[in-house]
Amino acid sequence: MTIPSGSTQVFRLNTDETQDEALRIAAAAIRRGELVAFPTETVYGLGADALNAAAVERIFSAKGRPADNPLIVHIADIEQVSPLVCSIPAIFYPLAAAFWPGPLTLIMPKSAAVPDVTTGGLDTVAIRLPSHPVAQALIRVAQTPIAAPSANRSGRPSPTLAQHVLADLQGRVAVVLDGGAAGVGVESTVLDLTTSVPTILRPGGVTWEDLAAVIGDVQLDTRVSDINTAADLPVRSPGMKYRHYAPLAPAVLIEGEAPFVWEKMLQSLQVDQPQHPGLLITEEGYDWFTRQPLPERCEFVLMGKRYRPDTIAAGLYAALRRLDELQVDRIYMEGIAPQGMGLAVMNRMRRAAGGLIVQAEG
Ligand code: TXA
Ligand code: MG
């Protein structure tokens, strides 16, 4: 089924016949140098032919993305790596065997085949083989690697549903492939293979613990571990320096163990006395709050289970968009333990809070 939507064609991928037709139209758009938004297992991507500089430039203007922020090149087959790089480090092979297809992006020295616009002028290229069948099929039918950032306007939360893509990019993208909810909910892990010890530039769908189990030594870029003091360090992943995932209302992140984290949230509410607060909270936190005396007009947006960070990752970006829709005037976010998928979740929440972080002492 096609739903015309401004100059954007939207396809709901329900049945096999519509899927084939939609993929053919979307792949033709990619080949013509146009933009196609498509589902991946992490978030929706805004794709263009990675080897066509003019097409890639359209991604930057559609998103309002700074030109020095490089894109991830998506492939459907491991054979597509070698034309994109000038050398493959030995550590690539065990990583690809363990985590591809999947939410892991690997950075390697780029070949001349990759236009400079795609890599934001860097001499390295970020490559990922997504596991989502629609992403894989689109790349195969288009017969070219597809450069794709998350399909949001720059500075907005990444889209995990086609409706998020349309809210941000209606009329700016030729085709949207609606494949339902993206599963993981946060972006891929970006791992730099050009450093002597592989370096996580962005935590994501593959955890640090998973990587360490396969390759042993893995380090976390300083910018990831501490967003407050890292502002003056040279930037290795240009995306990390831009304001990101910023809700409309000022937000504070409260970190600490339960129940202290909830007590601190309640105490902050009582001190600040906002007119219309929004609480981004776990199910356990919500249970706790329902037993407390609460200010009027307090909105709760639930984000998953406190000790299941994968459930929080899946709902986090939709929850941030929901807080904007509710037009709250101040946001209080419940922090969780930065372990496993919790590291990626906390990285996104710290950035959403713009560094405004409070520690609950227990
Ligand atoms: O899960 C994902 O990775 C999604 C889906 C669509 O695949 N894509 C995504 O792309 O999140 P984007 O553009 O929103 O984030 C890419 C990140 C940015 O932080 C960028 O700076 C970094 O990867 N990056 C890309 N190429 C790089 C390079 N050559 N060196 C260092 N960082 C790079
Ligand atoms: Mg993004």
Side-chain angles (χ1 to χ4, degrees), residues 288-341:
W288 185 89
F289 266 91
T290 55
R291 298 190 297 270
Q292 313 300 322
L294 285 177
E296 280 173 48
R297 296 193 74 214
C298 185
E299 309 279 1
F300 289 92
V301 175
L302 272 70
M303 59 176 178
K305 294 190 194 309
R306 182 165 175 89
Y307 304 103
R308 288 277 314 280
D310 56 315
T311 66
I312 295 178
L316 181 65
Y317 288 139
L320 287 172
R321 284 178 182 261
R322 179 78 190 128
L323 284 165
D324 285 351
E325 282 165 19
L326 288 167
Q327 299 187 305
V328 295
D329 62 1
R330 187 136 176 91
I331 296 171
Y332 300 84
M333 301 188 286
E334 174 186 340
I336 61 165
Q339 271 125 40
M341 284 286 276

Side-chain angles (χ1 to χ4, degrees), residues 87-285:
S87 62
I88 299 184
I91 198 96
F92 166 83
Y93 297 98
L95 286 166
F99 301 110
W100 278 6
L104 179 66
T105 295
L106 299 172
I107 294 182
M108 290 177 278
K110 92 173 189 71
S111 75
V114 185
D116 286 338
V117 272
T118 305
T119 62
L122 297 178
D123 55 9
T124 54
V125 58
I127 305 177
R128 151 163 138 81
L129 201 171
S131 65
H132 199 291
V134 173
Q136 287 191 6
L138 178 65
I139 300 162
R140 289 216 171 90
V141 181
Q143 295 185 301
T144 183
I146 294 183
S150 48
N152 50 284
R153 292 276 292 169
S154 230
R156 297 268 295 147
S158 295
T160 50
L161 289 171
Q163 75 198 54
H164 300 157
V165 177
L166 289 169
D168 281 15
L169 296 172
Q170 173 97 268
R172 293 172 170 265
V173 49
V175 177
V176 175
L177 298 176
D178 180 352
V184 177
V186 292
E187 301 88 339
S188 62
T189 300
V190 177
L191 187 67
D192 189 351
L193 301 186
T194 69
T195 44
S196 52
V197 173
T199 308
I200 297 174
L201 300 183
R202 177 179 72 183
V206 169
T207 66
W208 185 358
E209 294 86 343
D210 290 341
L211 292 170
V214 171
I215 56 169
D217 239 3
V218 185
Q219 62 188 6
L220 196 59
D221 189 69
T222 340
R223 285 205 142 245
V224 178
S225 45
D226 187 349
I227 65 158
N228 296 316
T229 60
D232 303 327
L233 296 175
V235 181
R236 292 249 303 288
S237 181
M240 302 306 283
K241 79 180 176 206
Y242 293 108
R243 186 165 174 267
H244 225 161
Y245 321 118
L248 297 173
V252 56
L253 172 62
I254 295 154
E255 297 187 356
E257 312 239 319
F260 312 111
V261 64
W262 305 322
E263 286 165 4
K264 189 78 187 175
M265 282 174 96
L266 180 59
Q267 194 197 336
S268 306
L269 264 173
Q270 287 160 346
V271 171
D272 300 346
Q273 300 204 341
Q275 296 283 304
H276 189 200
L279 273 65
L280 181 60
I281 196 146
T282 62
E283 289 170 21
E284 293 86 345

